Amino acid sequence: MVGSFNQRGIDGTGAIGAAKDQRFLNCTFDLVHNPITGKNTIYVAKRPGWGVDSVVAAGSASTALIKPQSFVTTLSAFGDTNSTIYWGSTSVGAITGRALHLTETIVSGVNYVMIKSSDGTGWYYANGAKDVTAYTADGNNSTTITDIKVAGSNSTAGLYSGQLLAAAANIVAGTRIVSVNSGAFTAVLDTATIDGAFNDLAITKTPIAKILDTDFITTGTQQSAFVEMNGYLFYVVDGVGKLYNSDLNSVTAYTSTNFISPNMSPDPPIAVARHQDKIIVFGGGSREVFADNANVSGSPLQRIPQYFSNIGAIDQRSVSQMEDDIYFVSSSHTGDIGVYQLRNLQATRVSTPQVDRILGTTSAVNGAIYTNTFRLGGYSYLSLYLSEATDGPGSNLLLESGDALLLETGDNLLLEDTAASSASFVRVLFYNIELQIWSEWNCAMCTFIDGLASGASNQVFATSRSETGGKIYTINPVSQGNLYQDDGSNYTMEIRTSKIDLGTSKRKRIKSIRLICDADPTGSATLEWSDDDYATWSTARTFDLTSKEPKLSACGSHKGYRAYRLKHTGNAAFRAEALEIEYESEANKIPGKA
């Protein structure tokens, strides 16, 4: 009962519409090794469900999520036109454009989450910036305010360059802080105050801050993330083909000459990542590696040409890091795309041809592929969230495990069984890194996934580009227990086998089928079979999981191959090892078991 899905068709969609071939939906796998006997036992189990951690922005889809190591909660973005950034469920302000990439860094003892927007602008949230928002200050028709106080005492706590001040008497709407002098309790603004001198004017700031330096480049078609290393922030701009960096130990200061050009291949740089003590720059059809050379001017980096590769990435959202490894979806520079693991600067493909065909179908219609990595239940996972071509929120949702019904737009149901629907549906592929097994989850909650990053609790968080409930979801066994619902709704685990002939093409009479599984005091599972290449299925029969030996008798006969489909729908755990089939064959008229 354990394996990877194996669907026919050159584009990865034919088998979906026809509900053919081996498939593992909403499953996880677990291998138990006995070091004494050397025996391995492998189980297939129902995946855990997504519970609701919090409702953050009802009516909005998410655009990004991170659980910083230094924060006690998540930082997330909701809203497509201008994203609002949330610390937990508290708004810390809006940015211009859609928040695309969130990166954590630490500079001079302050933890920051850096934000790259779809309009090319850069933003950041400093840890604790939301804790104080109200101040008083003096001024007199200049760009400098003085004697800044919090609750009557001199303090600039929580004030950062790029924060927006609320319009008030003497403060012009749209004014932002340029710099802060915490020793003198003063701040420089980008717009002078008005209407003469004032004392102890009440001022309110927005915690989120914008990078104002004019040397920060905001152009480009594909926006990269920020990547931190050795006190610098790095980002690439495809339009000019350069890898830029901040000034040393600053998130706000940039110099026009701080760049290096990844030019060993003519494709522009579109994504950036950190691999141990190296910076990796991905182009559409190539990859270059840079190391910190401690240069005193310009870029601190130096190219390491021997690590150049002709394998690139499709974009920044398809690049994800798992501890010391990088996982990325390659571009179609040489034809099909695939999923690669970068370990010790060596790339190895981890996707199967079947997975590659599905990814190729999504990429061919300009669909979005989001990668995530996390640990759960003792295993490391890579997830691929394959979205519709328009990458829009809420228009098409993956709702259930049935092979006919996949998406819903208002009252209109979009069926999975037409080729035209392949551009719109959502698929979520999961790769168990240790076991090297692929499966599918049919949940729209997990476009962005991040682990707890601190403490001992086994917990992951997620937000969705498709769901518009404005929620942060979580898998948290400590607080939720054994949860097998997504946001309160049951989902179906499905195992569809390949065609089984039991070693002969002659007719077999199936005397019984036993499900080797864990007992469940309240549950049941159903089994169907197809003797005509998945064209039709028998009436579902029910395994009683309260029984010590769930068994079905008198299961008909078939010539050649038969495929089986096992389903479990309830809000309960399910774990199984195998289907044991007792049969008689015309080949030898001798009873057998498989």
Side-chain angles (χ1 to χ4, degrees):
M1 292 178 65
V2 175
S4 293
F5 61 88
N6 175 23
Q7 298 177 348
R8 68 190 77 177
I10 192 171
D11 62 356
T13 63
I16 302 171
K20 297 178 182 293
D21 303 317
Q22 184 168 263
R23 188 188 196 190
F24 294 88
L25 184 65
N26 293 325
C27 297
T28 61
F29 304 98
D30 188 22
L31 186 146
V32 179
H33 174 69
N34 186 323
I36 306 300
T37 64
K39 178 183 177 182
N40 290 327
T41 303
I42 189 162
Y43 298 93
V44 59
K46 192 171 188 178
R47 69 163 173 88
W50 291 103
V52 176
D53 177 78
S54 57
V55 180
V56 174
S60 297
S62 177
T63 67
L65 170 77
I66 190 173
K67 173 57 184 72
Q69 296 185 41
S70 57
F71 291 16
V72 297
T73 188
T74 57
L75 198 77
S76 59
F78 287 82
D80 280 288
T81 303
N82 294 305
S83 293
T84 300
I85 311 302
Y86 292 88
W87 186 92
S89 57
T90 300
S91 170
V92 292
I95 70 170
T96 61
R98 172 160 63 101
L100 295 178
H101 312 296
L102 307 182
T103 306
E104 184 180 13
T105 188
I106 182 170
V107 174
S108 301
V110 178
N111 293 84
Y112 300 89
V113 171
M114 307 303 300
I115 306 168
K116 199 68 176 295
S117 174
S118 60
D119 65 7
T121 52
W123 304 74
Y124 66 94
Y125 175 76
N127 192 20
K130 71 170 186 59
D131 296 343
V132 180
T133 57
Y135 304 82
T136 61
D138 302 342
N140 186 12
N141 283 18
S142 74
T143 56
T144 301
I145 56 175
T146 62
D147 198 26
I148 300 173
K149 298 178 181 178
V150 176
S153 299
N154 284 117
S155 174
T156 59
L159 289 180
Y160 293 91
S161 170
Q163 289 177 331
L164 180 69
L165 299 183
N170 306 102
I171 301 294
V172 177
T175 296
R176 290 188 181 274
I177 299 171
V178 174
S179 62
V180 178
N181 186 330
S182 57
F185 306 109
T186 63
V188 176
L189 311 181
D190 65 357
T191 304
T193 60
I194 58 175
D195 296 335
F198 57 86
N199 294 305
D200 291 333
L201 176 70
I203 295 174
T204 302
K205 65 94 190 282
T206 299
I208 205 74
K210 183 179 183 179
I211 296 174
L212 300 178
D213 196 313
T214 56
D215 287 327
F216 179 79
I217 308 301
T218 61
T219 58
T221 301
Q222 296 199 53
Q223 301 299 330
S224 83
F226 289 103
V227 169
E228 58 80 26
M229 190 176 78
N230 298 348
Y232 296 98
L233 289 171
F234 298 92
Y235 67 101
V236 295
V237 179
D238 58 352
V240 294
K242 294 176 180 178
L243 169 63
Y244 290 94
N245 61 272
S246 68
D247 292 352
L248 182 63
N249 294 327
S250 178
V251 301
T252 59
Y254 296 79
T255 302
S256 62
T257 56
N258 288 355
F259 69 85
I260 190 171
S261 299
N263 55 15
M264 293 185 69
S265 178
D267 55 319
I270 58 176
V272 62
R274 176 179 174 178
H275 185 53
Q276 299 174 355
D277 62 344
K278 305 293 190 298
I279 295 296
I280 312 297
V281 176
F282 294 89
S286 68
R287 186 176 70 251
E288 294 188 41
V289 179
F290 298 85
D292 190 347
N293 196 46
N295 302 323
V296 295
S297 62
S299 174
L301 301 178
Q302 179 178 352
R303 180 184 290 108
I304 309 177
Q306 62 266 34
Y307 289 120
F308 173 80
S309 171
N310 278 311
I311 304 175
I314 56 175
D315 52 39
Q316 182 73 65
R317 64 193 168 202
S318 70
V319 179
S320 186
Q321 188 156 354
M322 179 67 190
E323 298 172 347
D324 290 333
D325 298 331
I326 294 173
Y327 291 85
F328 65 97
V329 181
S330 68
S331 67
S332 56
H333 179 63
T334 56
D336 281 347
I337 66 177
V339 184
Y340 285 79
Q341 176 198 69
L342 187 66
R343 173 173 291 178
N344 296 325
L345 298 176
Q346 300 298 316
T348 303
R349 196 181 79 166
V350 298
S351 57
T352 66
Q354 293 75 27
V355 169
D356 289 351
R357 292 197 290 266
I358 295 170
L359 298 179
T361 299
T362 302
S363 179
V365 294
N366 296 317
I369 301 175
Y370 296 88
T371 65
N372 299 276
T373 51
F374 60 96
R375 294 185 65 88
L376 182 67
Y379 289 101
S380 305
Y381 289 94
L382 166 69
S383 73
L384 303 179
Y385 187 98
L386 283 56
S387 183
E388 58 180 354
T390 58
D391 189 28
S395 55
N396 294 301
L397 305 182
L398 180 58
L399 296 177
E400 64 174 6
S401 62
D403 288 296
L405 176 65
L406 186 66
L407 306 169
E408 183 172 53
T409 307
D411 295 325
N412 299 318
L413 300 182
L414 179 59
L415 299 185
E416 189 180 9
D417 56 6
T418 63
S421 68
S422 64
S424 299
F425 61 64
V426 173
R427 299 189 76 174
V428 188
L429 307 180
F430 279 79
Y431 177 63
N432 185 311
I433 294 172
E434 283 80 13
L435 299 181
Q436 302 179 8
I437 298 177
W438 288 90
S439 62
E440 295 178 86
W441 293 17
N442 73 331
C443 51
M445 289 83 179
C446 54
T447 313
F448 310 102
I449 307 175
D450 202 3
L452 184 62
S454 61
S457 178
N458 186 6
Q459 183 178 5
V460 295
F461 298 93
T463 56
S464 175
R465 287 290 296 130
S466 298
E467 299 280 4
T468 57
K471 300 175 182 179
I472 294 177
Y473 302 97
T474 185
I475 297 175
N476 186 0
V478 173
S479 65
Q480 295 175 339
N482 292 322
L483 179 65
Y484 296 95
Q485 292 182 320
D486 287 338
D487 197 1
S489 297
N490 287 0
Y491 54 88
T492 298
M493 182 208 73
E494 178 185 324
I495 301 169
R496 192 166 64 217
T497 73
S498 57
K499 294 181 291 184
I500 302 168
D501 69 357
L502 300 174
T504 177
S505 62
K506 293 186 178 295
R507 181 168 296 278
K508 281 79 61 175
R509 183 171 69 88
I510 310 302
K511 301 175 66 175
S512 67
I513 301 175
R514 183 167 73 97
L515 178 60
I516 303 175
C517 67
D518 295 341
D520 182 347
T522 61
S524 63
T526 62
L527 185 70
E528 307 160 83
W529 49 80
S530 173
D531 299 338
D532 54 4
D533 194 26
Y534 305 92
T536 61
W537 293 91
S538 66
T539 300
R541 296 183 61 182
T542 301
F543 285 112
D544 179 8
L545 301 185
T546 66
S547 170
K548 293 182 179 179
E549 190 175 87
K551 180 183 286 190
L552 304 176
S553 59
C555 299
S557 66
H558 65 95
K559 292 186 65 176
Y561 296 93
R562 169 178 282 188
Y564 293 91
R565 186 164 65 183
L566 180 72
K567 293 183 179 181
H568 184 277
T569 305
N571 179 20
F574 177 87
R575 189 179 72 156
E577 293 182 58
L579 288 172
E580 184 182 81
I581 302 172
E582 184 182 10
Y583 67 97
E584 290 181 346
S585 171
E586 289 184 351
N588 50 25
K589 300 295 184 180
I590 298 175
K593 284 189 177 182

